[in-house]
Amino acid sequence: MTDPFVSSEVDRTKSRWVARAFREFGPRKSTLRAFFYFCLQRSEPDYPICGGFVGEIRATRSYHQSDGQKLAKWAGKAQALGFLPQDAFLQEEPGEHIFCPQGYGSRTPQLELWTHKSAFNSLLQPVCARHRAALVSSGQVSPRLQQELVRRAVRPTTVLALTDLSCEGFCWYQDLVRSAGQAGIAPAVEVVSAGITPQQALDLNLPQVSQMKGPRDIQREYRRHLKPQGLEDRRMVELDALEVLYPGGLAAFADRILSSRSSR
C-alpha cells in the first residue's frame, strides 16, 4: 500500500510543475486541453518522474502525450493546494448556447459559426460580434437548435462548422448537415466545414493524439474522410491545439474563417 504522506509529496511535486508551466502559458484564459498542447511543445526536459521516497525525483524528461491522461488530476491537485487559481481554465458549459450580436440579420448573406465545444464561447463571441455573425455551441444538434435555425434563416444563411478533426466532431458535423437539410421552410442554408479539416491538420502540422472509436458505420465514413490525406482514423486533432500552435490562437483562426466568408 502506498504511504499517504509519500503520495501527498508526489502530488505537491507534480502540482508545482503544473503551476510553473501554467505561469509560462501566460495570463490568457483557455482550456485544460490547450494547456496540454502547450506542455507538449515545451522544450525543457523538466517533467518530474517521482519515486517511492518522500520528495524523491528519480528523473526528469520532456512532457509526453501519455502524460496528458493525468493532467486533469495534477491540475486539480494544484488548484486544491492553492498553486493555481480555481478559475484557471475555461470549462464546458452544459446546454445549448445561441449568441446573436447586435445587427445580426441586417445584412445579406447571414453568417453563423457553430461548434460542439462550448468552453470556447468567451473566445469566439467577440470575434463573431465583429463580423455580425451568430455563435451557436452545443454538444448535440438538437431539434430545438434546428427550429431556431429555421426561425433565424430569413435570408440565405451560411453556417460555418468549427469542430475537432475526430470521429465525434465528424458525427456532429454530419448531424448539422442533416438538420440544415431538413429546414425545409427556410431559404437555402449552406453548411461549410470550417475547421479543422484534414488538409488544415497537415498544413498547420497539428499534433494527432489517440481517440476513442465511434460506432462502426461512423468510423467507416470518418476513415473515408481522412483517406485522401493519409491520416489515421484512430487519431484526432483538437481545436484546443490551435490555441497554442496557430498565431493568435483559436480566436484568430475563427476570425480568418469569418473574414473569408463575410467578404464574399
Side-chain angles (χ1 to χ4, degrees):
M1 181 180 294
T2 304
D3 188 316
F5 184 66
V6 173
S7 295
S8 66
E9 285 303 306
V10 170
D11 289 348
R12 290 187 182 91
T13 300
K14 297 281 192 178
S15 296
R16 287 192 183 98
W17 181 89
V18 168
R20 185 167 63 252
F22 184 77
R23 286 193 293 272
E24 295 175 20
F25 188 47
R28 60 185 176 179
K29 296 285 289 184
S30 195
T31 62
L32 182 64
R33 286 299 288 178
F35 179 54
F36 161 70
Y37 287 106
F38 172 80
C39 293
L40 273 186
Q41 58 88 45
R42 289 177 78 251
S43 58
E44 291 80 2
D46 60 354
Y47 186 69
I49 308 303
C50 297
F53 297 100
V54 176
E56 178 195 20
I57 299 177
R58 287 183 175 174
T60 60
R61 57 165 170 77
S62 299
Y63 198 74
H64 292 169
Q65 281 192 16
S66 59
D67 298 320
Q69 297 173 4
K70 290 190 175 181
L71 184 58
K73 173 184 176 179
W74 301 129
K77 295 282 188 181
Q79 289 173 317
L81 291 167
F83 298 156
L84 284 183
Q86 294 300 312
D87 62 348
F89 303 108
L90 299 173
Q91 303 291 334
E92 283 295 303
E93 303 173 14
E96 300 169 347
H97 309 273
I98 302 173
F99 306 95
C100 292
Q102 185 176 5
Y104 178 77
S106 62
R107 298 186 302 174
T108 301
Q110 291 185 167
L111 195 57
E112 302 200 356
L113 182 68
W114 287 49
T115 181
H116 63 133
K117 287 194 165 181
S118 62
F120 290 122
N121 284 349
S122 62
L123 300 179
L124 296 175
Q125 238 185 302
V127 180
C128 289
R130 285 200 300 273
H131 292 277
R132 292 187 181 179
L135 171 64
V136 179
S137 66
S138 176
Q140 294 183 324
V141 183
S142 69
R144 172 183 172 265
L145 288 180
Q146 178 183 336
Q147 292 166 6
E148 289 294 311
L149 176 59
V150 170
R151 184 183 63 78
R152 291 192 305 276
V154 294
R155 52 178 58 85
T157 300
T158 300
V159 173
L160 303 174
L162 187 62
T163 68
D164 293 338
L165 181 60
S166 66
C167 192
E168 178 187 356
F170 180 76
C171 185
W172 183 89
Y173 171 73
Q174 297 284 38
D175 285 346
L176 177 56
V177 171
R178 280 192 291 270
S179 293
Q182 292 166 4
I185 63 172
V189 177
E190 179 190 17
V191 178
V192 179
S193 178
I196 301 171
T197 65
Q199 193 59 53
Q200 286 170 335
L202 293 175
D203 292 344
L204 297 173
N205 196 29
L206 298 174
Q208 301 168 45
V209 297
S210 298
Q211 69 168 335
M212 297 288 290
K213 279 193 172 183
R216 184 172 297 179
D217 55 337
I218 296 295
Q219 196 75 30
R220 186 165 52 248
E221 290 183 49
Y222 180 60
R223 189 180 301 118
R224 283 199 292 265
H225 178 58
L226 299 178
K227 188 175 181 180
Q229 280 74 30
L231 299 176
E232 299 179 55
D233 65 297
R234 62 185 181 86
R235 303 181 75 79
M236 65 176 176
V237 179
E238 296 180 283
L239 290 171
D240 308 69
L242 292 170
E243 270 287 271
V244 176
L245 300 172
Y246 189 83
L250 181 62
F253 184 82
D255 184 67
R256 181 180 64 81
I257 292 167
L258 288 165
S259 295
S260 68
R261 302 297 301 195
S262 58
S263 62
R264 295 187 177 188

